[in-house]
Amino acid sequence: MPSTLKDIAKHVKLSVSTVSNILSSSDSRYNKATQKRVLQAAEELDYHPNKAARSMQGLRTKVIGVLVPDLANSYFPDIIHGIEHEADKEGYQVLLCQTYYNESDEARKISLLRQHRVDGFILFPIPFSHRNNKIFEKLKKGKIPVVCVDSKIDHIKFDFVGTEDYKGAKLAVSRLVELKHKKILCLSFGDESEIRSERLRGYTDALKKKKLKFDKNLVLPGPWEADAPADFLISLFKKKKPPTAIFAMSDLLAVWAYTQLRAAGYQIPKDVSIIGFGDLHEGRCLDTPLTTVAQDREEMGRKAISLLLARIKKPNSRCKEALIETKLINRASCFGVH
Amino acid sequence: MPSTLKDIAKHVKLSVSTVSNILSSSDSRYNKATQKRVLQAAEELDYHPNKAARSMQGLRTKVIGVLVPDLANSYFPDIIHGIEHEADKEGYQVLLCQTYYNESDEARKISLLRQHRVDGFILFPIPFSHRNNKIFEKLKKGKIPVVCVDSKIDHIKFDFVGTEDYKGAKLAVSRLVELKHKKILCLSFGDESEIRSERLRGYTDALKKKKLKFDKNLVLPGPWEADAPADFLISLFKKKKPPTAIFAMSDLLAVWAYTQLRAAGYQIPKDVSIIGFGDLHEGRCLDTPLTTVAQDREEMGRKAISLLLARIKKPNSRCKEALIETKLINRASCFGVH
DNA sequence: TATTATATTCGTAACGTTACGAATTGTAAC
DNA sequence: GTTACAATTCGTAACGTTACGAATATAATA
């Protein structure tokens, strides 16, 4: 039983519409004294405008829905921070949900947010999912403003924010090549996402540029794919011409490799150099801090909001794509080979 | 312009109320064929019930608001996972906001969530804040169901979920004492929170039990407090009778100390044993994994939901408090002294 | 004082949904 | 062909808000 405009109106003996007008637009033709009286009553009665009623006028809710896979991955909070901060500046509020990489959760959360009539979505779609894309088709057909981040939806065009995956990977691998590494392992994602293929392209092109040949046996998926990938990883380093460096497609993968190698008695970077991608906290607080490719994640969030607001204003404009720059962060995990 | 009941009604040539009834209660007296027709039309027209209109009936929204300080702290995502999972089971949905440890954001986000008429709140209040407590008084007076986690609100009683801070700290320090450490540094939070005082009490009691005397110079606040606490920390270990162990009130503090000491040339645990509190990911992936006090954070989340739902059902029942158990996780960062 | 202009305030309809009781249809029994 | 009863379906009011145009009060001018 929260108080309503009617309650306030009764309290100050004015009409509901007067109270509404005063409370919702500060600029107004109303008597200063009246305004003060109303504001005060609102305060006293602990009035919270009912967004439900408001949005029923078909007005903007000024709320945007953000759907991320998993907050436990420290990649996301920074982006969310950027989103919230920028949204806030424009008077938008953010509602946050998680999918836990689960397709039916993804669908359910989108529906929930639609029920709340959010003005638009920022989605981090589950990468390379075989989900039923109908939900997204409907978003598209309903002209609901959507910005996808990181992954795109098959066959459906939305605004998009991503990372300069190709450039970043090339940067990283070029660095290893400069340090005279000849045999560089590529620790890859297990999926078939565009992120993966771009980073792989960066890896191979960096090798090519220095006339090193690409060996597909040096590309292996991370811990969540193979059966005993840790053993397999170590076995690669026990061969007689072992790799001397690892390019990992993510910091998490890099940290995993780091841990496994250390446990197996290898020293980083003396025996093996490692370079990651993402500049996550996990890599920074390693004993030998991780050299990595960083992207400005808050900027990603800001960019996503700016694309979204542009679309909210012009729902029919052409879809835009933005790639966030990368740069190399040199820390201790890479070492020259002689 | 999402479709409405009216649209569906027109489409199937039935009244709005029939459509509403069919769509909102699956149990019903309606003709099976009619039901199918309606469901199908809803699907075709991509109908999403308008929560706004629904909640205007004064009905439950089946949405609960969760307000956390900062998702970048990996302490929170686990709890949120527990919250979401349990809420989901009961048919409740979760709206998540951050305060960034900022009091005015805290107030604004609570107001936002109230505007959405959430059925209740799970709050992680900013600890030891000098905030204006009026917002909380109003929540209390308005009988809005609220569960606080971790910190309480001064002078205002809400349901509460916390950690067995005293027992956990005592457990940790007792362990160090068993390992024959005589001089144990306590790395404390900088605030005056109840969490701090309870963990401090655990620390002192563990010492007392083994007849070790409490030295208040051995209690020092973490990195965010003193001017040059890192230097100060190291200086303590350069004295002639240096501490041989550290009890840190959080894993983050522990990791910080670990890093500083390593950088200064000390070995963990050979020179200094460290024990943390919280069992965060950061401590697990250290080169020398951190011994720590763990609490089941998903259970915290579940508990919070169960208290909240109980309160939603009986808004006037007595406030309950739940403390989540702690246990010691022995890893490599502690070492016996001889 | 009458007339106009200006400053304030008001009343009504509409948004999409649900609860409630009323209305309509169909069916079986007489 | 009534009547009784069940099976379906319907109509209306209400929730809290805002937009819109209308109404009233007050001041300024003739």
Side-chain angles (χ1 to χ4, degrees):
Chain A
M1 54 192 93
S3 52
T4 69
L5 286 181
K6 202 152 93 178
D7 298 329
I8 298 179
K10 215 172 288 173
H11 197 258
V12 296
K13 299 197 200 312
L14 283 169
S15 76
V16 171
S17 40
T18 303
V19 175
S20 167
N21 283 331
I22 288 178
L23 250 29
S24 52
S25 57
S26 50
D27 73 306
S28 75
R29 51 209 168 144
Y30 291 94
N31 190 310
K32 278 258 183 269
T34 312
Q35 292 189 33
K36 200 175 295 175
R37 219 152 36 102
V38 169
L39 261 5
Q40 205 169 302
E43 175 66 26
E44 256 176 57
L45 300 182
D46 193 24
Y47 172 72
H48 293 256
N50 186 332
K51 265 219 152 127
R54 238 177 215 183
S55 84
M56 271 191 30
Q57 257 50 256
L59 300 179
R60 301 265 73 107
T61 55
K62 286 272 189 176
V63 177
I64 67 155
V66 174
L67 194 49
V68 301
D70 182 12
L71 293 171
N73 184 333
S74 58
Y75 173 76
F76 297 108
D78 294 334
I79 304 182
I80 293 169
H81 190 261
I83 289 175
E84 283 209 306
H85 192 253
E86 192 70 9
D88 194 68
K89 274 204 248 167
E90 308 287 335
Y92 276 79
Q93 294 160 326
V94 169
L95 254 24
L96 189 55
C97 291
Q98 299 184 73
T99 64
Y100 301 106
Y101 294 104
N102 182 117
E103 294 162 26
S104 81
D105 274 341
E106 181 179 66
R108 279 177 40 226
K109 299 298 173 76
I110 289 177
S111 171
L112 161 63
L113 260 3
R114 289 195 66 173
Q115 290 180 24
H116 281 283
R117 297 295 185 265
V118 295
D119 289 346
F121 285 92
I122 295 180
L123 303 177
F124 294 69
I126 301 173
F128 193 57
S129 144
H130 284 105
R131 73 165 87 69
N132 181 342
N133 274 0
K134 239 184 236 165
I135 311 122
F136 297 93
E137 275 166 26
K138 285 180 177 167
L139 248 13
K140 184 79 186 179
K141 230 189 303 175
K143 292 200 199 300
I144 316 282
V146 170
V147 175
C148 288
V149 185
D150 284 345
S151 298
K152 299 176 186 174
I153 305 292
D154 282 351
H155 309 304
I156 309 184
K157 258 212 148 15
F158 291 117
D159 291 295
F160 176 77
V161 176
T163 301
E164 281 186 337
D165 292 304
Y166 171 74
K167 279 197 194 169
K170 200 165 164 185
L171 211 57
V173 178
S174 297
R175 169 80 180 142
L176 292 173
V177 173
E178 275 164 26
L179 291 170
K180 307 267 190 272
H181 291 279
K182 301 268 184 291
K183 205 160 176 186
I184 301 169
L185 201 66
C186 175
L187 254 187
S188 154
F189 295 126
D191 58 36
E192 291 294 329
S193 63
E194 194 170 334
I195 295 184
R196 181 194 126 99
S197 63
E198 283 298 284
R199 292 187 189 179
L200 194 58
R201 200 162 62 85
Y203 165 79
T204 53
D205 277 13
L207 295 181
K208 261 187 229 160
K209 213 178 64 182
K210 303 287 168 135
K211 314 266 190 249
L212 290 170
K213 68 166 189 293
F214 170 74
D215 174 357
K216 77 172 203 288
N217 293 317
L218 286 177
V219 177
L220 80 168
W224 41 75
E225 284 296 308
D227 270 351
D231 295 348
F232 183 66
L233 177 78
I234 300 306
S235 76
L236 289 179
F237 286 88
K238 289 202 173 134
K239 295 193 172 165
K240 58 176 174 261
K241 277 219 164 186
T244 57
I246 297 180
F247 162 61
M249 284 201 185
S250 80
D251 275 14
L252 262 17
L253 244 23
V255 169
W256 171 78
Y258 174 100
T259 313
Q260 298 299 333
L261 285 167
R262 293 281 281 233
Y266 294 89
Q267 291 188 42
I268 315 294
K270 206 173 133 255
D271 301 328
V272 184
S273 288
I274 302 184
I275 197 162
F277 203 120
D279 191 22
L280 295 188
H281 185 242
E282 282 85 343
R284 285 176 226 156
C285 69
L286 286 180
D287 185 49
T288 302
L290 188 67
T291 292
T292 191
V293 177
Q295 82 268 71
D296 184 342
R297 285 193 287 279
E298 298 218 357
E299 173 63 18
M300 287 182 79
R302 286 192 295 268
K303 193 75 201 173
I305 282 286
S306 88
L307 288 182
L308 186 64
L309 296 189
R311 178 144 310 276
I312 288 174
K313 277 192 199 122
K314 303 185 86 186
N316 293 311
S317 56
R318 232 178 99 256
C319 283
K320 293 214 180 83
E321 306 207 342
L323 293 186
I324 301 299
E325 282 184 11
T326 51
K327 67 178 178 196
L328 193 67
I329 308 277
N330 277 302
R331 287 200 277 252
S333 71
C334 290
F335 202 70
V337 103
H338 16 257
Chain B
M1 55 196 90
S3 52
T4 70
L5 288 180
K6 205 153 92 180
D7 298 329
I8 299 179
K10 214 173 291 175
H11 197 257
V12 296
K13 299 198 200 312
L14 283 170
S15 76
V16 170
S17 38
T18 303
V19 175
S20 167
N21 283 331
I22 289 178
L23 250 28
S24 52
S25 55
S26 50
D27 74 306
S28 75
R29 51 209 168 145
Y30 291 94
N31 189 310
K32 278 260 184 268
T34 313
Q35 292 189 34
K36 200 174 296 177
R37 222 155 31 103
V38 169
L39 260 7
Q40 203 170 304
E43 175 65 27
E44 255 177 58
L45 300 181
D46 192 23
Y47 172 71
H48 294 255
N50 186 332
K51 264 219 153 134
R54 234 174 220 186
S55 85
M56 271 190 31
Q57 256 53 257
L59 301 177
R60 301 264 73 107
T61 55
K62 287 272 191 175
V63 176
I64 68 155
V66 174
L67 194 49
V68 301
D70 181 12
L71 293 171
N73 184 334
S74 58
Y75 173 76
F76 296 108
D78 294 334
I79 305 183
I80 293 169
H81 189 261
I83 289 175
E84 285 208 305
H85 191 252
E86 192 71 10
D88 193 68
K89 273 204 250 168
E90 306 288 335
Y92 276 80
Q93 294 159 326
V94 169
L95 254 23
L96 188 56
C97 292
Q98 299 184 72
T99 63
Y100 300 107
Y101 295 106
N102 183 116
E103 293 161 28
S104 81
D105 275 340
E106 182 178 66
R108 278 176 41 225
K109 298 298 172 74
I110 289 177
S111 171
L112 162 62
L113 261 1
R114 289 196 65 174
Q115 291 180 24
H116 281 281
R117 297 295 185 266
V118 295
D119 289 347
F121 285 92
I122 294 180
L123 303 177
F124 294 69
I126 300 173
F128 192 56
S129 145
H130 283 106
R131 73 164 86 71
N132 181 342
N133 274 0
K134 238 184 237 165
I135 310 121
F136 297 93
E137 276 167 26
K138 285 179 176 167
L139 249 13
K140 184 77 186 181
K141 229 188 304 175
K143 294 201 196 302
I144 316 282
V146 170
V147 175
C148 287
V149 186
D150 284 344
S151 298
K152 299 175 185 172
I153 305 292
D154 283 350
H155 310 303
I156 310 183
K157 259 212 146 17
F158 291 117
D159 292 296
F160 177 77
V161 177
T163 301
E164 281 187 336
D165 292 305
Y166 171 74
K167 279 197 195 169
K170 199 166 165 185
L171 211 58
V173 178
S174 297
R175 170 79 182 143
L176 292 174
V177 172
E178 274 165 25
L179 290 171
K180 305 267 189 276
H181 291 279
K182 300 271 184 290
K183 207 162 173 184
I184 301 169
L185 201 65
C186 175
L187 253 187
S188 153
F189 294 127
D191 59 36
E192 292 294 331
S193 65
E194 192 169 335
I195 295 183
R196 182 194 125 99
S197 64
E198 283 297 284
R199 292 187 188 177
L200 194 57
R201 199 162 64 83
Y203 166 77
T204 54
D205 278 11
L207 294 182
K208 261 189 230 158
K209 213 178 63 183
K210 302 289 169 131
K211 312 267 190 251
L212 290 170
K213 70 167 187 293
F214 171 73
D215 174 357
K216 78 172 200 288
N217 293 317
L218 285 177
V219 177
L220 78 169
W224 42 76
E225 283 297 308
D227 271 352
D231 294 349
F232 182 66
L233 177 77
I234 300 305
S235 76
L236 288 177
F237 285 87
K238 288 201 174 135
K239 294 194 174 165
K240 60 176 172 259
K241 277 221 162 183
T244 57
I246 297 180
F247 163 61
M249 284 200 184
S250 81
D251 275 14
L252 262 18
L253 246 20
V255 169
W256 172 77
Y258 173 100
T259 312
Q260 298 300 331
L261 285 167
R262 294 280 281 233
Y266 294 89
Q267 293 188 40
I268 314 296
K270 203 171 135 256
D271 301 327
V272 184
S273 287
I274 302 184
I275 197 163
F277 202 120
D279 192 22
L280 296 189
H281 184 243
E282 282 86 342
R284 282 176 229 158
C285 69
L286 284 181
D287 185 50
T288 302
L290 188 68
T291 293
T292 191
V293 177
Q295 83 268 71
D296 185 341
R297 285 193 287 279
E298 298 218 358
E299 172 63 18
M300 287 182 79
R302 287 194 294 268
K303 192 76 202 174
I305 283 286
S306 88
L307 288 182
L308 186 64
L309 295 189
R311 178 143 309 274
I312 288 174
K313 278 192 200 121
K314 301 186 85 187
N316 293 312
S317 56
R318 231 178 101 256
C319 282
K320 293 213 179 85
E321 306 208 342
L323 292 188
I324 301 300
E325 282 184 11
T326 51
K327 66 178 179 195
L328 193 66
I329 308 278
N330 277 304
R331 287 200 276 252
S333 71
C334 291
F335 201 68
V337 103
H338 16 258

